Amino acid sequence: MNLNLRQLEAFVLLARLGGFSRAADQLHLTQAGLSILIRRLEERLDARLVERTTRSMALTPAGLQVLPIAERMLADAQSVLACGRGVAADQAGRISLGLAPQLAGTVLPAVLKAFRDDFPRISVVFRECVNEEIIGRIYAREIDFGLGFGIQKNSELDSQGLTEDTLAVALPPTHALARKRSVRWKDILDEPIITLTVGSTVRTLTENVFLAAGQALRPAYEATNTLTALALAREALGVAIVPTSIRPAAVAQEMVLKPLRDPVVKRSLNLVTRRGSVLSAPEQRFIDLFTTAIVQVDKSPR
């Protein structure tokens, strides 16, 4: 029996996301197109896999049985493709990844340059994504792997900690704290704070420190990304809580970046892949270069 991988992919994604609208969006299909794929798979298997109503979707008993088998088949197909990429590493090809926007705007350019020197015939396609989008794009096979902060593994994803960066305070050179050898969290508790929006790892970690000090975090400004937070701090609108991996942008804007002490707060940079996938030689080299770049930035002179 020949099974269509696209149909299996549609079925698995539909089961994971729990709705035709979200699954169709991830697959870049209309809901009608997704329904056709599911119906053809059901016809091929001679079994109804999905119960549809106007408001909900649920797997049938047959669908629940087919789901883990379909997931294994897709994982095996991904492994075959990855092995093929590894065999053809010295030939023209491409890798695709998703990464946090902050990393794309700071660390990525130097990594791309070094990678091009090693693999001049391999093109790199990257997407700037928040964690949820990285996960969704991996599920939909739009990217080979993701680089994000604090993404946890699950039954479908592997997540490997690569390195860490540290929370720091970004200051204009004229700020009084910029002249201190080190800056502690208690030094900034009464400063106007520029932080990221709720849900980001930086925001969550910052809130935890303030709560531990018995003080609620009341930001003066909230930014959607660290580069915006840095720009606001440059205009002396407050002190920005940012990770040390943003140091290249801070240097370019002539800002002072001081890792915060008492406590030192770190976050993990994770490599996220589909469970069972195998990295090609170019992919592994790219990840190694990226990890080294983060470590060098975090350990660079203060």
Side-chain angles (χ1 to χ4, degrees):
M1 179 192 304
N2 295 323
L3 289 176
N4 185 300
L5 288 177
R6 182 66 168 170
Q7 294 167 6
L8 291 175
E9 182 181 28
F11 169 64
V12 169
L13 195 60
L14 176 62
R16 287 172 179 155
L17 297 180
F20 277 82
S21 177
R22 294 176 63 193
D25 287 343
Q26 290 282 0
L27 292 168
H28 301 292
L29 293 171
T30 63
Q31 291 189 46
L34 175 59
S35 295
I36 290 172
L37 288 176
I38 299 300
R39 185 167 62 250
R40 287 177 178 171
L41 178 61
E42 290 176 328
E43 292 171 352
R44 190 65 174 170
L45 297 178
D46 194 23
R48 190 171 184 82
L49 304 177
V50 177
E51 291 288 355
R52 307 168 180 82
T53 69
T54 56
R55 295 187 177 182
S56 64
M57 181 283 301
L59 296 184
T60 65
L64 291 171
Q65 286 186 318
V66 168
L67 179 59
I69 300 171
E71 291 172 331
R72 288 196 297 272
M73 291 178 69
L74 290 175
D76 289 343
Q78 182 70 14
S79 296
V80 170
L81 291 173
C83 288
R85 287 195 297 268
V87 169
D90 60 340
Q91 300 177 9
R94 58 170 262 173
I95 65 175
S96 59
L97 68 139
L99 76 169
Q102 168 222 317
L103 296 175
T106 54
V107 180
L108 180 63
V111 173
L112 287 174
K113 185 177 185 300
F115 181 81
R116 186 181 61 186
D117 292 341
D118 290 345
F119 293 94
R121 301 182 64 197
I122 302 290
S123 64
V124 179
V125 177
F126 64 90
R127 298 288 181 266
E128 300 178 44
C129 310
V130 297
N131 283 356
E132 292 77 9
E133 190 178 357
I134 289 175
I135 293 170
R137 287 182 181 272
I138 292 175
Y139 280 156
R141 301 181 186 276
E142 295 175 6
I143 55 176
D144 300 321
F145 61 91
L147 295 168
F149 290 99
I151 300 178
Q152 301 299 310
K153 66 181 180 180
N154 59 32
S155 61
E156 307 301 329
L157 299 178
D158 283 325
S159 182
Q160 172 190 348
L162 297 176
T163 186
E164 295 176 320
D165 66 3
T166 306
L167 290 198
V169 59
L171 309 155
T174 55
H175 196 286
L177 293 176
R179 296 188 291 273
K180 291 176 67 72
R181 177 182 292 271
S182 64
V183 178
R184 297 168 295 178
W185 283 93
K186 71 177 185 178
D187 295 330
I188 66 169
L189 290 179
D190 295 326
E191 295 281 343
I193 301 294
I194 301 166
T195 186
L196 302 187
T197 51
V198 173
S200 70
T201 55
V202 170
R203 175 62 175 266
T204 300
L205 292 171
T206 301
E207 287 179 338
N208 290 343
V209 174
F210 270 70
L211 288 174
Q215 186 166 327
L217 174 65
R218 295 183 176 88
Y221 297 96
E222 300 180 35
T224 56
N225 63 71
T226 51
L227 296 177
T228 302
L230 192 65
L232 295 176
R234 186 183 182 191
E235 297 301 320
L237 295 170
V239 299
I241 309 302
V242 296
T244 48
S245 51
I246 202 175
R247 190 177 300 280
V251 171
Q253 296 190 33
E254 300 181 341
M255 294 285 286
V256 175
L257 202 62
K258 296 280 187 179
L260 287 159
R261 308 297 184 191
D262 300 329
V264 173
V265 179
K266 294 182 176 290
R267 60 176 188 165
S268 174
L269 175 65
N270 295 84
L271 165 66
V272 186
T273 57
R274 181 178 291 276
R275 178 153 292 187
S277 64
V278 179
L279 294 172
S280 66
E283 289 169 341
Q284 187 60 61
R285 178 56 178 161
F286 185 93
I287 292 162
D288 291 343
L289 288 169
F290 213 100
T291 303
T292 299
I294 293 287
V295 172
Q296 289 175 344
V297 165
D298 198 52
K299 292 183 177 180
S300 61
R302 305 310 188 208

